Amino acid sequence: MTRVAAIDCGTNSVRLLIADIAPGEDGGTLTDVDRRMEIVRLGEGVDRTGRLSPAALERTFAAMRRYAALIERHAAGDGPVKTRVVATSATRDAANRADFVDGVVEIFGVVPEVISGDEEAQLSFTGATGELAGLRPARPYLVADIGGGSTEFVLGTDSADAARSVDIGCVRMTERHFKDADPPSPQQISNAVADIDAALARVREAVPVDEARTLVGLAGSVTTVAGIALDLPEYQPSRIHLSRITATQVHEVTRRLLHGTRAERAEFGVMHPGRVDVIGAGALILDRIMREYGFGAVVVSEHDILDGIAWSLV
């Protein structure tokens, strides 16, 4: 048994998984010790300025300091917890990413890995598909990880065979098309659809998406859409994890989110306050993936790149 700590710093949130991993002939088991998420909006303004703002960095570092304290608290008796910090889209795009790196080293004592979109996709596939064997969904899988700044696509059966990352994410699309819109106009939605569809066409150039038989959706936009579709009174990971949401349900939830005001979106019991402003764009990305690639349903996973990072430590 190895105790590990995985930190995923994305465009919208920073997340922590402390877990015990026991390798085995069947792939082993991963048992949660602590799993946390905070909305820090690290990528706020990066699409426009190309830089991480001082305020966004301080929000992120504050969350990380809390995570460092948790890691220390959960340290096993035989030594420090093996820790890996991975940073994704916003940090890749920022001219001042050295400021981020220096802050992380000070807090955790490890250098954060600013990974490529393809590396991000590989880790997402590992984390998302580990529990699917028991459900016996048709393979190959297309894993779609909708983040704040980018969306990663990876196709595979037992391991990743093809991957592509494109710069469409809930924060980036909101800032490009829906900023200060409450709700967005039909023209703004049309412009966002064109932007998303152009990116999906680029994915087809690298990933044979038509070979996929099951769509697996990851990250907060997808899980929030699933929670709304399931009419949950509050966020319930156990109900959302491995649920199957139809394309009709996704389209209806997307319509409600895009046509509702900020106040109306905030009324959904499953909605994290930090997602209220960007959930419409995130839902739209999922909706367009299903329409453009012809999927009638999406299997929703609560396990994603964070779990993949944890597995990489053993």
Side-chain angles (χ1 to χ4, degrees):
M1 188 83 71
T2 302
R3 181 156 292 182
V4 301
I7 298 97
D8 169 36
C9 189
T11 302
N12 195 46
S13 64
V14 59
R15 300 181 302 145
L16 167 71
L17 170 61
I18 302 173
D20 287 333
I21 296 182
E25 292 182 2
D26 60 351
T29 60
L30 184 153
T31 304
D32 285 16
V33 175
D34 205 336
R35 191 182 288 258
R36 304 286 179 104
M37 186 273 289
E38 293 195 34
I39 301 289
V40 296
R41 203 64 61 84
L42 176 63
E44 186 174 36
V46 167
D47 192 53
R48 176 177 53 84
T49 67
R51 298 182 64 83
L52 301 168
S53 74
L57 283 168
E58 184 46 44
R59 290 194 299 267
T60 303
F61 293 155
M64 287 181 167
R65 292 184 193 103
R66 290 187 284 273
Y67 288 172
L70 285 169
I71 293 170
E72 184 175 357
R73 186 187 310 166
H74 288 296
D78 57 354
V81 178
K82 294 180 69 174
T83 300
R84 184 181 183 190
V85 182
V86 165
T88 53
S89 178
T91 317
R92 282 198 301 268
D93 298 341
N96 62 331
R97 71 182 188 179
D99 295 338
F100 171 81
V101 171
D102 291 344
V104 172
V105 171
E106 180 182 347
I107 294 167
F108 293 112
V110 299
V111 177
E113 300 170 52
V114 182
I115 62 174
S116 69
D118 286 345
E119 291 175 294
E120 187 174 351
Q122 296 280 352
L123 289 169
S124 294
F125 186 86
T126 299
T129 62
E131 295 175 287
L132 294 183
L135 295 178
R136 300 187 182 278
R139 299 185 294 178
Y141 309 126
L142 179 66
V143 174
D145 185 349
I146 302 174
S150 63
T151 296
E152 281 63 54
F153 295 86
V154 56
L155 179 76
T157 302
D158 296 315
S159 59
D161 297 322
R164 182 70 186 267
S165 175
V166 285
D167 284 341
I168 51 171
C170 60
V171 175
R172 195 183 298 267
M173 289 297 100
T174 298
E175 292 186 349
R176 282 185 186 175
H177 300 289
F178 301 156
K179 195 168 182 62
D180 301 322
D182 189 34
S185 69
Q187 185 60 56
Q188 288 173 314
I189 295 171
S190 179
N191 291 343
V193 166
D195 199 355
I196 294 166
D197 287 357
L200 297 181
R202 293 194 296 274
V203 172
R204 279 189 183 273
E205 297 171 359
V207 179
V209 295
D210 294 328
E211 295 180 8
R213 294 294 174 264
T214 299
L215 175 66
V216 183
L218 315 184
S221 290
V222 178
T223 57
T224 301
V225 168
I228 296 171
L230 294 169
D231 199 25
L232 299 181
E234 60 187 10
Y235 197 88
Q236 297 174 269
S238 62
R239 293 280 306 278
I240 293 170
H241 186 48
L242 302 183
S243 62
R244 183 179 181 275
I245 308 301
T246 68
T248 299
Q249 289 175 299
V250 170
H251 181 65
E252 175 58 22
V253 170
T254 302
R255 185 194 65 78
R256 292 170 67 187
L257 291 170
L258 288 175
H259 290 85
T261 64
R262 188 187 192 287
E264 289 169 337
R265 294 192 298 275
E267 290 178 358
F268 288 106
V270 301
M271 186 74 67
H272 189 288
R275 296 201 186 280
V276 173
D277 291 338
V278 300
I279 187 60
L284 183 61
I285 294 168
L286 177 61
D287 187 46
R288 297 311 300 176
I289 290 170
M290 299 182 76
R291 286 171 176 264
E292 288 297 296
Y293 296 160
F295 287 104
V298 57
V299 175
V300 179
S301 178
E302 285 276 347
H303 294 180
D304 50 28
I305 186 174
L306 196 59
D307 301 76
I309 296 167
W311 278 109
S312 75
L313 286 164
V314 298

